[in-house]
Amino acid sequence: MFKDLLVPMTGTPGDDDALNLAIDLATKLDAHLSVLELVNLPMMTTGPWGLMPEGLVDVYKTLRDHGERNVATRKERLAKESVSSEVRLVESLFVEPYQMAAHVAHYADLSVVAGATGDTIEADLTHAYLGSLLIESGRPVLMVPPRCKLPMLPRRIVAAWKPTREATRAFHDAMPLLKAAEVVDILVLNPMGGERGHGDAHTRTAARSAIPRNTSAKTTPIPASRNGTVTTR
């Protein structure tokens, strides 16, 4: 069960959407919510005489003051909710902020992070957070698309299945959400027969083990196109 949720602030417009969804999820699951305000500090450099450039200390103070103001704003927002929560200011000096977020995520059950679309700076930044959290934290990640207003907990879930370690890990990590859903549609990608296959019999076994008995589960084979893409509606 998800009892500790982490929401790193990326500094993009989608942060509010991610926070709102995380608050709703934490309320439904009676979980603790931790919000990270990350301050990216530039590396200290020295001049030819070993002296620090003028103004760098002032830059640090400006960045820290800005972070403190954001923390105060987030605390004021969370004070209106009944969920257990905290807002932490985390400084990032020797690593990137998204790497620091992944380090803190080691102690959480689920990370909720903002998403962005298109070829934009915001999209590049949120993708960096997603990739770092996925690869480096070892914990599940929920990315919230821009302007997403999905109420928690979802009643219907679509899950893609293939007999790989990644898919198995994803199913088990999503178990708290799967158990709360009314309907789960399992899409079987490129089903194959044989003893190492993943046709109907194997998929029904996966559905029995992963989906609670009180949840309606439906399996659907989905062949991929020649270029390996899958289209769903």
Side-chain angles (χ1 to χ4, degrees):
M1 186 60 70
F2 300 141
K3 286 301 181 182
D4 287 284
L5 308 185
L6 179 71
V7 186
M9 295 290 100
T10 64
T12 64
D15 281 344
D16 288 337
D17 296 323
L19 180 58
N20 290 336
L21 187 143
I23 290 173
D24 192 13
L25 182 60
T27 301
K28 299 293 175 52
L29 297 177
D30 191 25
H32 179 77
L33 179 62
S34 297
V35 179
L36 290 187
E37 177 63 30
L38 294 141
V39 177
N40 189 14
L41 301 177
M43 285 286 292
M44 290 274 192
T45 57
T46 59
W49 303 101
L51 300 176
M52 188 185 309
E54 294 184 11
L56 188 56
V57 174
D58 293 336
V59 170
Y60 277 25
K61 183 179 186 305
T62 299
L63 292 173
R64 284 168 174 150
D65 289 346
H66 180 70
E68 291 287 358
R69 289 194 296 271
N70 288 342
V71 167
T73 300
R74 302 299 180 189
K75 285 183 176 180
E76 183 179 358
R77 166 72 177 88
L78 291 170
K80 302 175 183 178
E81 306 293 337
S82 59
V83 64
S84 170
S85 63
E86 64 177 323
V87 184
R88 299 168 53 188
L89 183 67
V90 178
E91 296 182 356
S92 176
L93 177 60
F94 297 106
V95 297
E96 295 293 339
Y98 47 82
Q99 294 174 315
M100 181 59 69
H103 173 70
V104 179
H106 289 141
Y107 307 97
D109 296 321
L110 174 70
S111 294
V112 181
V113 66
T117 59
D119 186 14
T120 63
I121 296 177
E122 289 80 7
D124 291 341
L125 182 57
T126 56
H127 291 163
Y129 271 91
L130 175 63
S132 187
L133 288 166
L134 277 175
I135 302 302
E136 298 178 30
S137 74
R139 309 304 297 146
V141 183
L142 178 61
M143 173 173 269
V144 182
R147 297 175 295 280
C148 176
K149 307 297 181 183
L150 178 68
M152 291 284 109
L153 297 160
R155 292 182 298 175
R156 183 167 190 168
I157 295 176
V158 177
W161 169 255
K162 198 172 184 179
T164 63
R165 61 182 182 181
E166 294 86 358
T168 302
R169 175 68 182 271
F171 263 74
H172 282 273
D173 283 346
M175 195 62 66
L177 300 180
L178 295 174
K179 287 183 177 180
E182 297 176 5
V183 178
V184 176
D185 293 323
I186 302 177
L187 306 184
V188 186
L189 307 183
N190 285 335
M192 297 182 298
E195 63 181 12
R196 293 183 60 83
H198 57 290
D200 290 341
H202 295 282
T203 305
R204 286 194 296 269
T205 301
R208 280 199 310 270
S209 61
I211 310 302
R213 294 183 179 180
N214 61 338
T215 300
S216 174
K218 176 184 176 182
T219 60
T220 304
I222 302 290
S225 62
R226 290 184 178 180
N227 61 5
T229 59
V230 176
T231 301
T232 61
R233 294 182 179 178

